[in-house]
Amino acid sequence: TANVVCVGPVNVAVFSTDELRKLMNADRDLGFTMLASIARVLAGRLRQADARIDELTDKASDVWHNAMG
């Protein structure tokens, strides 16, 4: 599922999970492209989360930063 906000007219395609799996199995190149795109997005989100955790950890371990607020 996804939430989006559009700034202009759009066409939308809705697939059930079963239909999507059938489509991906019928066209293996399409299926691979879709899975690669999902993996790329998830990897990017994981990198962002890791960077944020590192940032928060650095601030938490910096005694002077905590003391000075």
Side-chain angles (χ1 to χ4, degrees):
T1 63
N3 296 319
V4 296
V5 176
C6 301
V7 294
V10 297
N11 293 318
V12 178
V14 178
F15 295 93
S16 70
T17 302
D18 290 338
E19 290 171 330
L20 184 58
R21 285 185 179 146
K22 286 178 188 175
L23 177 64
M24 291 172 71
N25 280 324
D27 186 341
R28 295 292 177 133
D29 288 338
L30 173 66
F32 177 81
T33 300
M34 291 176 69
L35 290 177
S37 295
I38 291 168
R40 191 171 19 263
V41 168
L42 292 177
R45 290 181 182 174
L46 182 57
R47 278 191 297 274
Q48 289 175 341
D50 284 345
R52 182 66 177 138
I53 290 168
D54 286 344
E55 179 184 312
L56 293 172
T57 302
D58 289 344
K59 286 182 182 178
S61 63
D62 183 352
V63 177
W64 291 110
H65 180 269
N66 291 333
M68 299 297 181

